[in-house]
Amino acid sequence: MFKLSEQAKKFLKENNNKNVVFTNGCFDILHSGHVAYLNEAKKQGDLLFLGLNSDQSIKRLKGENRPINSEKDRKFVLENLRSVDFVEVFEEDTPYELIDAVKPNLLVKGGDWAVDQIVGHDIVLAAGGEVRSLIFIDGYSTTGLISAVQGKK
């Protein structure tokens, strides 16, 4: 079972009467596609709770050369976006246990995910919440940015 940070417990307790939206990701090199997506996610409810993959999780998922930015730096940048209300780092490869601990009203991912493919959809739906696949702006990806910087575009 996921152990929420004391800050996350406090945030959720203080906002237990609000509609909490949950999303997750690596957000390694923040780009306008990310920002548009997070703005849209925030519009779906009162508060946006973001699960952030840890550095070790990203290494397992994306390879030894990732992440480019440390989890501390990625967390700082995300916490300073108007759309993001709380960021919790998770070590696992998926946010399944974090979603179970947060119990959000709404779970969202980018439009490249089918609702039944979104990790944690079963938890949220069983609790009476909703799961949505939001906008996806084609042509924006961290992997694409890294390739462009390396001259591999």
Side-chain angles (χ1 to χ4, degrees):
M1 178 154 178
F2 190 88
K3 185 166 171 38
L4 285 172
S5 68
E6 290 304 314
Q7 296 89 348
K9 288 178 191 175
K10 181 180 179 203
F11 174 81
L12 292 169
K13 185 177 180 182
E14 288 173 353
N15 295 290
N16 69 347
N17 61 338
K18 300 221 171 123
N19 193 8
V20 175
V21 178
F22 181 96
T23 195
N24 68 281
C26 298
F27 300 96
D28 192 3
I29 298 176
L30 199 66
H31 52 71
S32 60
H34 286 138
V35 175
Y37 166 73
L38 292 170
N39 287 343
E40 186 64 23
K42 171 66 179 237
K43 289 178 189 175
Q44 307 299 308
D46 299 320
L47 301 169
L48 181 58
F49 189 110
L50 190 146
L52 182 65
N53 289 74
S54 71
D55 290 348
Q56 289 305 310
S57 173
I58 292 174
K59 280 193 184 314
R60 289 190 303 274
L61 295 170
K62 309 249 182 201
E64 276 302 309
N65 293 328
R66 299 281 297 276
I68 303 299
N69 290 299
S70 72
E71 70 190 51
K72 180 181 172 188
D73 289 343
R74 292 180 289 120
K75 186 174 191 282
F76 175 80
V77 169
L78 289 163
E79 286 174 334
N80 283 281
L81 293 177
R82 283 188 297 237
S83 59
V84 178
D85 296 292
F86 194 86
V87 178
E88 181 85 335
V89 176
F90 64 96
E91 295 291 333
E92 299 76 18
D93 290 348
T94 75
Y96 192 82
E97 292 181 23
L98 175 56
I99 293 165
D100 194 35
V102 171
K103 303 261 191 288
N105 306 92
L106 180 61
L107 173 62
V108 300
K109 282 295 277 180
D112 52 337
W113 289 83
V115 168
D116 64 344
Q117 301 279 307
I118 298 173
V119 171
H121 73 277
D122 56 330
I123 295 167
V124 175
L125 293 174
E130 291 182 62
V131 180
R132 296 182 190 152
S133 185
L134 302 182
I135 62 169
F136 179 75
I137 302 175
D138 207 20
Y140 289 96
S141 78
T142 299
T143 302
L145 283 171
I146 292 169
S147 292
V149 168
Q150 293 173 335
K152 297 177 184 175
K153 192 170 183 180

